[in-house]
Amino acid sequence: MNELIFPQVKLTLSIEHGKTVVFDFLRKKNIVLTPEEWVRQHLIHYLVHVRGYPKSLISVEDGLRYSGMKKRSDVVVYDKAGAVYMLVECKSPRVRMHQKSMEQLSLYNQHYKAHYIALTNGLSLLVYQMDYDTRHFNLQNDIPDYK
């Protein structure tokens, strides 16, 4: 798999039914290792081990309904009060970061109203702090540390 912008992580890989799987330490189960999952696993390790977010505040592939359709957000980080703090959309390293991906993230955020939204393909990372009062978003240098 690709080298990513996130620190290298020793993931637990195995083969199940002829497919490579990775043990997801948040969901506590094996997940088929797709390029997107490779990015997601590195991101969640980055959130927990570098940025200090408690595992208990992170949800992976959280379900939501948008326009009557079931969707899944990649990573949702909650604050201590249970409000959505950050919403992250992960893409395969083969997927270029473009307007369509940001629109998908923005649509999901209409449901969540996160303080931060982030988009990554593992090769680059865009993080925006949302200001709902002024209806603006501000580009950040990185994901903020857990406070």
Side-chain angles (χ1 to χ4, degrees):
M1 291 276 170
N2 297 43
E3 286 261 341
L4 304 177
I5 59 170
F6 304 112
Q8 284 192 341
V9 176
K10 184 167 175 30
L11 298 174
T12 304
L13 304 177
S14 58
I15 303 291
E16 287 184 5
H17 309 289
K19 294 188 178 191
T20 303
V21 295
V22 59
F23 182 75
D24 182 318
F25 77 106
L26 292 181
R27 293 179 273 183
K28 297 186 178 6
K29 66 180 184 177
N30 285 332
I31 306 295
V32 174
L33 185 61
T34 63
E36 181 180 317
E37 191 62 41
W38 180 255
V39 172
R40 184 171 26 247
Q41 289 300 313
H42 280 79
L43 171 79
I44 61 177
H45 278 270
Y46 179 71
L47 289 172
V48 172
H49 298 109
V50 176
R51 293 295 175 198
Y53 288 87
K55 293 187 299 187
S56 61
L57 297 181
I58 301 171
S59 177
V60 178
E61 291 199 321
D62 206 26
L64 70 113
R65 284 202 171 273
Y66 183 78
S67 296
M69 298 173 64
K70 286 184 180 181
K71 301 288 184 181
R72 284 198 174 145
S73 52
D74 286 324
V75 178
V76 179
V77 180
Y78 295 90
D79 63 19
K80 291 178 189 173
V84 176
Y85 181 72
M86 183 175 7
L87 176 63
V88 185
E89 180 66 22
C90 298
K91 298 294 184 189
S92 161
R94 293 183 286 231
V95 174
R96 288 185 41 223
M97 306 257 284
H98 50 68
Q99 185 66 28
K100 186 175 179 182
S101 298
M102 188 52 90
E103 287 171 2
Q104 177 187 5
L105 178 60
S106 296
L107 287 174
Y108 288 3
N109 195 44
Q110 288 178 12
H111 170 81
Y112 288 106
K113 305 278 191 274
H115 295 286
Y116 290 89
I117 60 171
L119 175 65
T120 185
N121 63 1
L123 304 175
S124 57
L125 172 69
L126 296 172
V127 180
Y128 295 93
Q129 183 178 26
M130 307 303 291
D131 185 335
Y132 295 102
D133 293 332
T134 64
R135 303 186 95 185
H136 286 91
F137 48 91
N138 301 307
L139 182 63
Q140 305 295 297
N141 291 328
D142 202 346
I143 291 173
D145 288 334
Y146 178 74
K147 298 175 181 110

